[in-house]
Amino acid sequence: MEKTLFETELDHLHRYDRCFDECRHLATQIGGLLLARSSVMKGKVPLQPLRSACQETFDQIKSQRASLDDANSSDQHALSHIDRAVSLLQISMDALSDDLFSGAESCKNALAAAIRELRFAASMTPGLSMVDLTCACCALPDADLNRKSGPGAIL
């Protein structure tokens, strides 16, 4: 039985979503690798399993991206952002794999640029989103700090 247009589009969206999610996951893994090699964590976390996990995720991304070659022309702009993100994630991984200490700055720069590309892709594609952790805190908002009574009031 031949797929309907709806089923074809739904399948494409699922593949697109998986590729995007894997890119986000890899960005998180690279961030974890950066943290693990920091001076605070030095020697406390084995780095090789983290590197292997990054490479495995990257291989999955390449496979998933290859499955999106039949994308609609309307998706090409967002896919170009994902492609740039994938390239930058590779640069970020390569910077750390050469020398953990000297490659940190170039790794961070490439990782930040990759995250920007993923944000661009998410902003133009329904169903994709980046998690914004800039306000991820259990503290009261600044406006609530001036309250004199109530839960969490500063007395």
Side-chain angles (χ1 to χ4, degrees):
M1 181 179 221
E2 192 174 317
K3 284 185 178 182
T4 65
L5 179 60
F6 176 76
E7 291 170 329
T8 302
E9 285 299 312
L10 189 60
D11 177 57
H12 173 74
L13 285 174
H14 285 296
R15 289 183 288 134
Y16 194 90
D17 190 43
R18 281 192 302 270
C19 182
F20 182 82
D21 284 346
E22 288 296 322
C23 287
R24 286 189 321 182
H25 183 66
L26 180 57
T28 303
Q29 287 177 314
I30 294 170
L33 188 55
L34 276 167
L35 179 63
R37 55 131 327 262
S38 69
S39 59
V40 174
M41 299 296 288
K42 186 176 178 183
K44 296 179 184 174
V45 179
L47 299 176
Q48 190 52 42
L50 295 174
R51 284 186 186 161
S52 297
C54 286
Q55 187 58 53
E56 185 177 313
T57 302
F58 187 75
D59 292 342
Q60 289 174 3
I61 289 169
K62 288 192 302 188
S63 172
Q64 290 166 350
R65 178 56 185 97
S67 77
L68 292 172
D69 281 341
D70 62 344
N72 297 330
S73 60
S74 61
D75 295 333
Q76 292 304 321
H77 185 82
L79 282 174
S80 69
H81 286 293
I82 288 178
D83 288 341
R84 283 194 293 272
V86 170
S87 295
L88 289 161
L89 289 168
Q90 177 69 56
I91 291 168
S92 185
M93 286 175 24
D94 290 346
L96 277 183
S97 65
D98 292 339
D99 180 0
L100 287 175
F101 296 104
S102 66
E105 202 56 41
S106 58
C107 175
K108 288 178 195 176
N109 292 338
L111 181 58
I115 291 170
R116 276 192 306 276
E117 292 296 334
L118 292 174
R119 285 185 197 277
F120 291 145
S123 70
M124 64 182 61
T125 308
L128 300 183
S129 64
M130 294 293 291
V131 177
D132 184 3
L133 300 177
T134 56
C135 295
C137 180
C138 59
L140 294 171
D142 290 340
D144 290 343
L145 290 177
N146 295 325
R147 291 183 7 185
K148 300 293 183 210
S149 62
I154 301 172
L155 303 173

